[in-house]
């Protein structure tokens, strides 16, 4: 099992404590022209105004829309795409593909059979680019990005449900993409690909790919040798993976390696796969008995109550339920409902989290396929420590997991002398001396997917925080 270097002492100090967490719902959009069969949500500050916006995809109405946040959780919609390229708008994720400092959108359209890149001009206006519309994208379902071939630019991986295909498209450095590798191997690992998610699963410094295959009833991962040559490994093809349809990656038991949280639609269960540190995985059932585990469809990880471990957010389409599973820090989970109100959760399809109202607490953002609704739930009951507590404990790190910018909120009573980023082996990757601001920002987009340690040195001592880059 991989362990941190002994010289690097980790002090996991929580920035919040658990209380009775509740969720207050609000509709973002439930209009038929724009939210019919809401399928996907992703978040980010797309217009550069300091608050978190939302992008949603509506499968039936063929719309990708952006919802600009006024900073308080009120939203104004604008169309990204409702042309032929958005036919069957299926999935969207946030990524700075051209590395120009603003957030773009990677997306799939399942009827148009297309992998898409919506290029942001920096203000939240987008240019549509088709990455691929070949047979490899037949019912394109999932998309992600990383520098797979180690040439300094971001490539694309796409998974197609009907095409039974997993493919990588190489970037020439100017965001022109050509097929680099077809990873489909003609077996269950790519039979009905629903999720292809990038993660440095073996923590060797290069991006791997974790896959859920719905028809093949298989979770697997593709090991990168560092140059874009991949070796497939099966994680699970037993009945536990029946209808494999959702996954996310993070350290669920606090042992320093990356585990996998998953949802199997036909098995009606959520489970997690414990990594022994050498990428041998053991299945642990989280829930296959509750009324909100029937038909898992969406899943994401977040430290919801800010206690230093990763909890699971879940969307179950047959249960019509959004739920969350609280982690005790050792990979033991207790489930609770976020919503079973049909206004918000009928056909629960996608779920993620972000601080939508600027209170330093992650809220819940969802898409419901039958409700035809994009909604958000304000999270209440997470206690943020004030300045009367130890100044180090007043530090807040968000979002975590992080894709782009990690924000470190610094109490006014704390003088910070250095901020450093270390990888999981204890290697220093980045540091900055001194900080007189109330917030520090760290650009995590330059680092590969995996676990990092943020060390803050200040007038009150040192603190280290574990952060997941996704």
């Amino acid at each position: 099992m991989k362990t941190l270097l002994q010289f690097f002492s980790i002090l996991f100090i929580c920035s919040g404590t658990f209380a009775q967490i509740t969720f207050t719902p609000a509709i973002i959009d439930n209009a038929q022209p724009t939210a019919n069969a809401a399928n996907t949500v992703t978040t980010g500050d797309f217009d550069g105004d300091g608050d978190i916006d939302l992008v949603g995809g509506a499968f039936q109405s063929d719309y990708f829309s952006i919802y600009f946040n006024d900073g308080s959780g009120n939203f104004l919609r604008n169309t990204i795409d409702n042309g032929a390229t958005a036919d069957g708008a299926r999935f969207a994720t946030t990524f700075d593909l051209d590395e120009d400092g603003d957030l773009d959108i990677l997306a799939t359209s399942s009827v148009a059979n297309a992998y898409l890149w919506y290029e942001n001009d920096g203000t939240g206006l987008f240019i549509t680019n088709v990455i691929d519309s070949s047979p490899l994208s037949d019912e394109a379902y999932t998309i992600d990005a990383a520098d797979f071939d180690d040439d300094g630019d971001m490539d694309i991986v796409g998974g197609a449900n009907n095409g039974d295909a997993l493919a990588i498209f190489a970037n020439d450095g100017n965001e022109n993409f050509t097929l680099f590798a077809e990873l489909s191997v003609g077996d269950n690992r790519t039979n009905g690909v629903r999720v292809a998610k990038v993660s440095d699963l073996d923590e060797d410094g290069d991006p791997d790919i974790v896959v859920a295959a719905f028809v093949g009833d298989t979770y697997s991962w593709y090991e990168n040798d560092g140059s874009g040559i991949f070796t497939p490994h099966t994680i699970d093809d037993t009945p536990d993976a029946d209808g494999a349809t959702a996954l996310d990656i993070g350290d669920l038991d606090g042992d320093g390696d990356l585990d996998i949280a998953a949802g199997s639609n036909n098995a009606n269960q959520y489970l997690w796969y414990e990594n022994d540190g050498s990428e041998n995985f053991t299945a642990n059932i989280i829930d296959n008995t509750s009324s909100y585990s029937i038909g898992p469809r969406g899943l994401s990880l977040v430290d919801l109550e800010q206690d230093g471990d990763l909890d699971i957010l879940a969307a179950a389409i047959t249960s019509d339920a959004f739920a969350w599973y609280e982690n005790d820090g050792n990979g033991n989970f207790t489930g609770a409902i976020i919503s079973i109100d049909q206004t918000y959760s009928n056909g629960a399809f996608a779920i993620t989290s972000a601080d939508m109202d600027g209170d330093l607490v992650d809220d819940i953002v969802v898409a419901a396929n039958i409700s035809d609704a994009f909604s958000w739930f304000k999270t209440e009951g997470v206690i943020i420590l004030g300045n009367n507590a130890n100044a180090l404990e007043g530090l807040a790190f968000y979002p975590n997991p992080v894709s782009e910018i990690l924000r470190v909120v610094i109490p006014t009573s704390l003088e910070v002398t250095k901020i450093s980023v270390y990888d999981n082996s204890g290697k220093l990757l980045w540091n900055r001396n001194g900080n007189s601001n109330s917030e520090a920002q760290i650009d995590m987009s330059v680092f590969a997917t995996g676990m990092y340690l943020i060390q803050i040195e200040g007038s009150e001592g040192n603190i280290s925080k574990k952060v997941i880059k996704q």
Side-chain angles (χ1 to χ4, degrees):
M1 180 174 65
K2 299 181 179 70
T3 57
L4 300 178
L5 295 183
Q6 293 300 310
F7 73 83
F8 197 72
S9 178
I10 308 305
L11 178 62
F12 294 112
I13 298 179
C14 303
S15 58
T17 58
F18 179 70
Q20 181 62 45
I21 293 180
T22 60
F23 305 94
T24 302
I27 291 288
I28 296 172
D29 185 8
N30 60 356
Q32 282 298 304
T34 52
N36 192 355
N39 257 224
T40 185
V41 283
T42 189
T43 59
D45 182 6
F46 296 103
D47 54 2
D49 65 352
D51 52 48
I52 302 299
D53 311 305
L54 168 77
V55 168
F59 178 82
Q60 202 68 30
S61 53
D62 308 324
Y63 261 87
F64 284 110
S65 298
I66 185 167
Y67 300 87
F68 293 111
N69 190 350
D70 68 357
S72 300
N74 304 304
F75 297 89
L76 178 65
R77 194 197 72 83
N78 198 10
T79 298
I80 296 172
D81 187 6
N82 66 334
T85 47
D87 192 2
R90 175 67 74 184
F91 176 75
T93 189
T94 305
F95 202 90
D96 183 8
L97 188 65
D98 52 3
E99 300 178 274
D100 63 352
D102 53 49
L103 293 179
D104 308 310
I105 301 162
L106 300 177
T108 64
S109 293
S110 287
V111 179
N113 300 324
Y115 297 120
L116 305 168
W117 165 45
Y118 294 108
E119 180 184 1
N120 190 351
D121 71 353
T123 69
L125 298 176
F126 296 87
I127 298 170
T128 301
N129 300 272
V130 176
I131 294 169
D132 184 66
S133 58
S134 74
L136 290 173
S137 59
D138 188 4
E139 199 182 353
Y141 219 96
T142 183
I143 190 170
D144 208 346
D147 183 6
F148 293 111
D149 53 8
D150 196 28
D151 65 351
D153 51 45
M154 292 298 163
D155 310 305
I156 295 293
V157 60
N161 183 58
N162 196 50
D164 300 331
L166 182 68
I168 292 176
F169 302 92
N171 188 345
D172 68 356
N174 294 304
E175 289 66 60
N176 302 304
F177 294 90
T178 55
L179 181 63
F180 174 76
E182 182 179 351
L183 303 182
S184 311
V185 291
D187 62 19
N188 288 338
R189 285 180 287 227
T190 57
N191 192 358
V193 177
R194 289 291 180 89
V195 181
K197 195 171 186 67
V198 173
S199 176
D200 183 8
L201 195 62
D202 54 4
E203 299 177 90
D204 63 353
D206 51 53
D208 309 305
I209 305 165
V210 184
V211 177
F214 178 78
V215 180
D217 304 323
T218 304
Y219 297 106
S220 61
W221 73 285
Y222 288 74
E223 180 183 2
N224 189 352
D225 72 352
S227 66
I229 297 175
F230 291 84
T231 301
H233 304 274
T234 297
I235 295 169
D236 190 3
D237 58 0
T238 73
D240 282 336
D242 190 5
T245 194
L247 64 83
D248 205 353
I249 302 135
D251 183 4
L252 296 175
D253 53 2
D255 64 354
D257 51 44
L258 294 175
D259 311 300
I260 297 167
S264 299
N265 184 84
N266 298 339
N268 295 318
Q269 67 182 8
Y270 295 104
L271 67 164
W272 72 283
Y273 294 96
E274 182 179 1
N275 188 347
D276 70 354
S278 298
E279 293 65 65
N280 303 303
F281 293 92
T282 301
N284 299 272
I285 304 300
I286 295 171
D287 184 7
N288 60 5
T289 60
S290 77
S291 61
Y292 43 92
S293 67
I294 305 171
R297 187 55 60 99
L299 182 152
S300 64
L301 298 178
V302 63
D303 182 3
L304 189 63
E305 73 270 41
Q306 300 189 28
D307 63 350
D309 52 50
L310 291 175
D311 309 302
I312 298 173
L313 305 178
I317 191 169
T318 309
S319 298
D320 298 326
F322 296 111
W324 74 289
Y325 293 88
E326 180 195 354
N327 191 349
D328 70 354
N330 297 309
N332 302 306
F333 294 89
T334 302
I337 286 291
I338 296 171
S339 178
I340 53 173
D341 186 327
Q342 298 293 284
T343 303
Y344 311 98
S345 64
N346 193 0
F349 207 91
I351 188 166
T352 189
S353 59
D355 179 10
M356 305 306 289
D357 55 1
D359 64 354
L360 304 184
V361 174
D362 278 299
D363 305 301
I364 311 300
V365 185
V366 301
N369 186 276
I370 301 173
S371 295
D372 301 327
F374 301 110
S375 309
W376 75 285
F377 294 82
K378 178 176 174 59
T379 304
E380 299 176 287
V382 176
I383 300 172
I384 304 295
L385 295 179
N387 288 335
N388 59 336
N390 185 301
L392 284 172
E393 294 180 334
L395 285 163
F397 299 75
Y398 74 100
N400 187 16
V402 60
S403 296
E404 298 288 336
I405 301 299
L406 177 71
R407 291 177 166 84
V408 183
V409 178
I410 302 169
T412 56
S413 59
L414 177 63
E415 179 185 352
V416 170
T417 57
K418 182 180 286 187
I419 302 175
S420 305
V421 179
Y422 294 83
D423 68 14
N424 201 30
S425 69
K427 178 182 177 182
L428 177 64
L429 302 177
W430 178 93
N431 64 43
R432 186 175 73 189
N433 291 324
N435 186 75
S436 58
N437 299 320
S438 60
E439 179 179 290
Q441 297 188 5
I442 304 172
D443 184 4
M444 298 295 292
S445 68
V446 300
F447 303 129
T449 300
M451 186 179 73
Y452 295 87
L453 295 160
I454 313 300
Q455 185 179 51
I456 307 293
E457 300 176 29
S459 55
E460 303 297 321
N462 300 340
I463 183 174
S464 297
K465 176 71 175 180
K466 178 175 62 175
V467 171
I468 300 294
K469 165 65 191 309
Q470 62 182 13

